[in-house]
Amino acid sequence: MSINSDDRPWPQVLDHDGVDWPSEEQRVLVPFCEAANRAETSRLGASITFGSDGELYILHATDGEASADADELRHEAELELELREEFSVPVTQFETEYSSGVLDSFVDSHSITATVVDREERGFFSRGRDEQTVAAGCHNVVGTRMDAFESPSSILVPVAKGPHSGLATRIAEAIARAAGCWIELFHVVGEDAGEAERGDADALLDAYEHRLGDDVEVDHHVVEAAGPAEEIIEHAGYHDVTVLGAPEKGRLRRFLFGSTTDDVERDGESGPVLTVHRDTDESVFSRWL
């Protein structure tokens, strides 16, 4: 997670100005298929909605052979009421038959700007879809270990040079605004990092911090270590939620060489991890490589 590229150092890595967040008409979607961790993921979606002054949509993609029973309908109505009362955001629930393209269709027809989905909703990650492609045409936030999600008292945001770190800071800002908690921006440089690289890292985090609202308390921390994943996992233990950008590497390189994001997601000791992927026009080929 060094911020320096092979041929140019910082500040090229701050080129996240194109992130449309929040949009003028923010619409956040929380979809369910298996209804995994429904309450927790809905509260996360409501937090992001509140913190970005938007509208919340909850979509239940059903089997098609069986509609929701009376108890399930009552639970859905109770959840909608709780979210309205707790977060004071507009909430609209939909039910539709599941298909492989149900998310893309809903995003397009309702002008959704961000989708928040639990990784345990396996139906939405079929046919090779991941946090980068779970829904097309919008930003994606994918939660891991969402069964442990509660309103956080602090959020860890590891940032790097990738195109998704900028949006990760804004997602964390929205959650912090809803929860009234603080954010730690975090970056790891190599043990052999020189003074210039450490200065670049501080400047990077200063720049990210400057972009966040004055109503959110932010601190930042630069650490020297041999590997970023271990340091991030250790620091995640001091926070309730970790928010980080999706891997830069395509699936093939991640399979061969691994990625920091994947290592953090797989760690079973830390709390919920939110992986953020900004809406980009990158090709399917580039996502694989």
Side-chain angles (χ1 to χ4, degrees):
M1 289 184 70
S2 170
I3 62 174
N4 293 321
S5 67
D6 293 336
D7 57 352
R8 271 185 72 190
W10 181 90
Q12 83 193 46
V13 297
L14 287 183
D15 186 22
H16 302 304
D17 292 327
V19 175
D20 183 20
W21 182 272
S23 67
E24 292 184 0
E25 296 184 1
Q26 184 84 336
R27 296 183 176 92
V28 179
L29 169 65
V30 178
F32 297 104
C33 184
E34 292 86 353
N37 305 311
R38 176 186 300 179
E40 293 85 354
T41 310
S42 294
R43 284 186 166 80
L44 170 60
S47 297
I48 296 172
T49 302
F50 174 89
S52 59
D53 194 23
E55 300 177 17
L56 178 63
Y57 292 75
I58 299 177
L59 173 66
H60 187 190
T62 64
D63 189 328
E65 297 181 358
S67 58
D69 59 26
D71 286 340
E72 187 172 7
L73 291 174
R74 185 179 72 255
H75 290 322
E76 290 178 353
E78 291 173 348
L79 176 60
E80 179 176 338
L81 179 60
E82 289 175 6
L83 295 175
R84 289 178 185 273
E85 292 179 344
E86 183 175 352
F87 296 97
S88 299
V89 295
V91 183
T92 307
Q93 295 203 60
F94 294 84
E95 183 177 309
T96 189
E97 185 174 344
Y98 172 80
S99 68
S100 60
V102 65
L103 279 189
D104 292 343
S105 176
F106 193 92
V107 166
D108 182 60
S109 61
H110 291 83
S111 300
I112 299 298
T113 55
T115 295
V116 181
V117 59
D118 188 334
R119 194 178 297 278
E120 291 189 24
E121 294 290 341
R122 303 300 182 187
F124 297 131
F125 294 96
S126 61
R127 298 184 181 180
R129 291 203 171 195
D130 59 11
E131 68 275 356
Q132 301 186 41
T133 57
V134 60
C138 66
H139 303 310
N140 290 304
V141 180
V142 178
T144 303
R145 293 187 289 280
M146 284 302 298
D147 59 312
F149 180 82
E150 297 178 351
S151 181
S153 58
S154 65
I155 302 172
L156 178 68
V157 187
V159 296
K161 68 178 182 179
H164 311 294
S165 284
L167 181 59
T169 63
R170 304 306 301 275
I171 294 291
E173 175 189 33
I175 299 170
R177 186 171 289 129
C181 71
W182 66 282
I183 295 172
E184 179 184 357
L185 301 179
F186 186 76
H187 184 79
V188 180
V189 297
E191 292 178 319
D192 58 350
E195 184 177 347
E197 185 176 350
R198 291 193 296 270
D200 285 349
D202 277 320
L204 173 73
L205 298 186
D206 276 335
Y208 276 126
E209 182 174 343
H210 180 72
R211 293 184 179 190
L212 302 181
D214 293 336
D215 58 331
V216 175
E217 182 182 353
V218 183
D219 197 2
H220 69 249
H221 193 192
V222 177
V223 171
E224 297 178 18
E230 293 80 3
E231 288 297 321
I232 293 172
I233 290 170
E234 179 180 347
H235 277 72
Y238 300 107
H239 298 273
D240 299 313
V241 176
T242 300
V243 183
L244 69 171
E248 279 189 275
K249 299 175 183 177
R251 295 175 194 166
L252 178 58
R253 284 187 292 166
R254 288 165 62 186
F255 175 76
L256 293 174
F257 306 111
S259 81
T260 297
T261 302
D262 292 341
D263 290 342
V264 175
E265 288 174 345
R266 284 194 293 264
D267 173 61
E269 299 300 321
S270 57
V273 175
L274 310 181
T275 306
V276 177
H277 186 277
R278 61 179 288 188
D279 183 24
T280 66
D281 56 0
E282 62 185 0
S283 67
V284 173
F285 181 73
S286 66
R287 289 197 296 266
W288 271 101
L289 295 180

